[in-house]
Amino acid sequence: MSNDNNKPAFPSSYIGQNKMPVWSEGISIRDYFAAKAMQGYIAGDYDVYPHEIAQRAYAIADAMLEEQAK
């Protein structure tokens, strides 16, 4: 897998209070994919422990990143 999981999902910049530009990288693409996958588990009627949901969500995110790298 490439190192794309460290890229920001929603980078942005804006002018701060001191009139200086502020850069925000947001969350990583991997975290964004995992959060979306986790929503499916939470919305469904799954009888799983929270740490299992997190593990599965990151497994799905990793698979998505692998596919994206092809």
Side-chain angles (χ1 to χ4, degrees):
M1 178 176 19
S2 69
N3 208 9
D4 285 344
N5 60 350
N6 289 329
K7 287 185 179 177
F10 301 105
S12 64
S13 63
Y14 58 94
I15 302 298
Q17 290 180 337
N18 60 356
K19 307 287 188 216
M20 297 295 292
V22 177
W23 174 254
S24 172
E25 291 192 359
I27 64 173
S28 71
I29 291 174
R30 182 175 186 248
D31 287 338
Y32 179 72
F33 284 165
K36 289 296 191 178
M38 184 179 63
Q39 286 177 337
Y41 278 104
I42 291 172
D45 190 19
Y46 298 104
D47 189 21
V48 237
Y49 292 107
H51 70 276
E52 291 174 330
I53 294 173
Q55 290 170 345
R56 291 176 186 183
Y58 275 104
I60 291 169
D62 291 339
M64 290 175 71
L65 287 167
E66 285 179 23
E67 280 299 310
Q68 186 183 49
K70 289 182 179 180

